[in-house]
Amino acid sequence: MTHTALADIASCLSGYDPNALPVAQAQEFISRMVPRVQAVESLAIRSALGRVLARDVVSPIDVPAHDNSAMDGFALRSADMAAEGDTLLMVAGTGLAGAQFEGDVPAGHCVRIMTGAVMPAGLDTVVPQEFTKLVDGQVLLPAGVVRAGDNRRLAGEDLKRGEPALRAGRVLRPADLGLLASLGQAEVPVRRRLRVAFFSTGDELRSIGEPLDAGCVYDSNRYTIWAMLQRLGVEAIDMGVVRDDPAALETAFREAAACADAVITSGGVSVGEADHTKAVMKTLGEVLFWKIAMRPGRPMAIGRIGEPGREAVLFGLPGNPVAVMVTFYAFVREALLAMSGATAGPLPLIRAASATPIRKKAGRTEYQRGIVERGTDGQWSVRITGSQGSGVLRSMSEANGLIVLGHEQGNVAAGELVDVLPFEGLI
Ligand code: AMP
Ligand code: MG
């Protein structure tokens, strides 16, 4: 596959400055550079939950295939309903779901009918059973309880034959599996699952199970990254902790790029970083080092590494545990969805009143960890979780959403409405 050079993408963005890149511009840059997985596989519909539909699914049938009753009651001809006063109808027979009434229905007659039963020929309206009375074996229907056409489901009202039932690019959800089943479709074409390799860099990192030497921390980023990738439904390839050694780093990057569509690393991309991560990244492909106008998560590397024609997209995330998660949600998540072939829209935000004033500098996007709640008045409010340090992972764990303060926004007054990205369904 041929790529547009990263420099050409940058030149399309007005005022592109890698040392003060607004979040929106970084997002646009990434969306322009990532390739889409092309390979398609066919899966049984139950195995396709969360996968990306590769082609439009066109309905081969009308669903429902026939007009049918939406209620238990009596099917009748609306022309038989008295304009005023009660209507009395004889019962010609019964129609059940799966055992329809076959005969003719003479004028002045109705058919006892169950939900889902095919409408008998010529009948167009269903009166629910609870609106009727049986009087001497006849059905008494009071005036005004139904109108012509009520409680009848029309053939094709759910899906019309020949029309797309689902569009390519859709991430399949529970309702979609049901919809596919309603078409009688056992299998569905989906894009191959995206492969994402990841590793942590830093000599101070220890893996679980190792003794925690003086000055060291346990590697937590590999666990948050792994978990965020699980939620996206991609194949996550854990390559461990790589020590700060040029040869070890080079081997890890090469192996990752050879086996994956995307490579995510954490650590080693800050300004003035003493370690070798940045230097090695540079030698393996086209890699840019950004300072993004955001907090947390300022430094980030982005690029393509690996053998020409078989490159992987590189996301070099900062090392701080909160910055890793914030940059993942701000940039990586959407990029991986696009690479998976998904046409997902932006994440929904809640507008909530800030419980306290928040200090905010205009000219950068800030992501504060918040607890959002719905008051008894139905209004959302949000308060910040304790310390907002980018190394304080507890702030993410306690939060149920990210307060997103936009690039232009200044200080927030108490009671002012702010955007909150809820974690529910995302995390
Ligand atoms: P760096 O971006 O490499 O300068 O790292 C910034 C901070 O994040 C340092 O305090 C690191 O110790 C910490 N850090 C880096 N990688 C990890 C990791 N995988 N798990 C936990 N903390 C990390
Ligand atoms: Mg480091």
Side-chain angles (χ1 to χ4, degrees):
M1 189 192 291
T2 55
H3 295 300
T4 313
L6 298 188
D8 291 339
I9 297 175
S11 67
C12 294
L13 304 176
S14 71
Y16 168 81
D17 176 2
N19 290 314
L21 196 63
V23 166
Q25 222 173 49
Q27 287 166 333
E28 189 180 342
F29 186 106
I30 295 170
S31 77
R32 287 185 188 215
M33 72 168 277
V34 294
R36 271 76 177 151
V37 158
Q38 298 299 325
V40 174
E41 57 187 333
S42 186
L43 290 182
I45 56 177
R46 276 196 187 153
S47 302
L49 184 64
R51 298 292 295 271
V52 179
L53 192 60
R55 289 191 276 276
D56 289 356
V57 172
V58 173
S59 180
I61 53 172
D62 279 335
V63 180
H66 307 277
D67 291 4
N68 67 83
S69 175
M71 302 289 276
D72 291 343
F74 296 91
L76 52 89
R77 220 177 250 106
S78 55
D80 284 343
M81 288 196 291
E84 282 169 28
D86 298 344
T87 303
L88 268 178
L89 296 167
M90 307 275 283
V91 181
T94 300
L96 304 175
Q100 69 193 73
F101 177 83
E102 301 276 9
D104 288 331
V105 184
H109 284 63
C110 64
V111 169
R112 187 169 157 67
I113 199 162
M114 299 299 150
T115 305
V118 173
M119 290 293 285
L123 307 191
D124 57 15
T125 302
V126 173
V127 53
Q129 186 162 314
E130 54 271 29
F131 292 157
T132 62
K133 269 195 230 131
L134 272 184
V135 179
D136 301 332
Q138 295 198 38
V139 174
L140 184 144
L141 164 65
V145 295
V146 284
R147 285 163 311 169
D150 276 0
N151 305 312
R152 172 189 52 164
R153 303 172 181 147
L154 296 173
E157 79 173 16
D158 192 349
L159 297 168
K160 280 211 169 33
R161 178 189 185 144
E163 286 185 4
L166 293 170
R167 296 281 186 186
R170 190 172 173 87
V171 179
L172 294 169
R173 300 196 296 209
D176 304 329
L177 301 199
L179 204 66
L180 290 163
S182 76
L183 302 178
Q185 192 159 328
E187 296 199 338
V188 65
V190 296
R191 301 271 182 124
R192 153 170 92 64
R193 206 192 279 274
L194 199 70
R195 285 191 283 271
V196 183
F198 60 100
F199 57 89
S200 299
T201 71
D203 277 349
E204 77 282 25
L205 303 179
R206 293 293 176 270
S207 291
I208 299 172
E210 291 176 354
L212 196 59
D213 302 321
C216 292
V217 292
Y218 280 121
D219 170 17
S220 58
N221 290 344
R222 255 184 326 126
Y223 293 84
T224 41
I225 290 173
W226 177 85
M228 293 187 292
L229 292 174
Q230 295 305 304
R231 288 280 199 252
L232 281 185
V234 302
E235 189 185 327
I237 305 162
D238 183 350
M239 299 188 59
V241 174
V242 179
R243 57 181 204 286
D244 186 23
D245 164 76
L249 284 165
E250 179 169 343
T251 306
F253 277 117
R254 284 199 190 283
E255 277 178 12
C259 74
D261 303 292
V263 178
I264 302 176
T265 61
S266 70
V269 293
S270 326
V271 194
E273 189 70 47
D275 64 24
H276 301 286
T277 310
K278 283 166 83 172
V280 173
M281 283 178 177
K282 262 189 233 168
T283 64
L284 297 177
E286 235 188 328
V287 181
L288 305 176
F289 297 93
W290 284 343
K291 284 185 211 128
I292 303 176
M294 68 188 289
R295 207 165 102 146
R298 214 157 94 87
M300 187 169 136
I302 183 82
R304 302 184 185 115
I305 56 168
E307 301 304 317
R310 235 222 129 283
E311 292 121 325
V313 176
L314 170 68
F315 300 95
L317 306 185
N320 274 310
V322 179
V324 164
M325 296 194 76
V326 167
T327 47
F328 187 94
Y329 288 117
F331 307 110
V332 183
R333 179 183 177 278
E334 206 167 301
L336 295 183
L337 283 172
M339 291 178 75
S340 302
T343 48
L347 290 167
L349 298 169
I350 290 178
R351 293 284 282 169
S354 179
T356 57
I358 307 175
R359 287 167 63 93
K360 161 71 171 65
K361 250 193 174 150
R364 67 183 185 202
T365 306
E366 291 192 14
Y367 299 85
Q368 308 241 5
R369 279 70 74 204
I371 295 173
V372 65
E373 278 169 334
R374 192 156 179 253
T376 46
D377 59 356
Q379 301 301 309
W380 291 97
S381 69
V382 65
R383 65 197 151 85
I384 285 170
T385 59
S387 164
Q388 295 285 306
S390 67
V392 184
L393 194 53
R394 185 165 51 83
S395 69
M396 274 305 275
S397 179
E398 279 176 4
N400 65 0
L402 277 178
I403 304 170
V404 184
L405 302 174
H407 191 83
E408 309 296 343
Q409 166 116 42
N411 288 332
V412 175
E416 200 176 321
L417 291 178
V418 290
D419 283 334
V420 180
L421 173 65
F423 288 160
E424 205 51 57
L426 174 69
I427 284 195

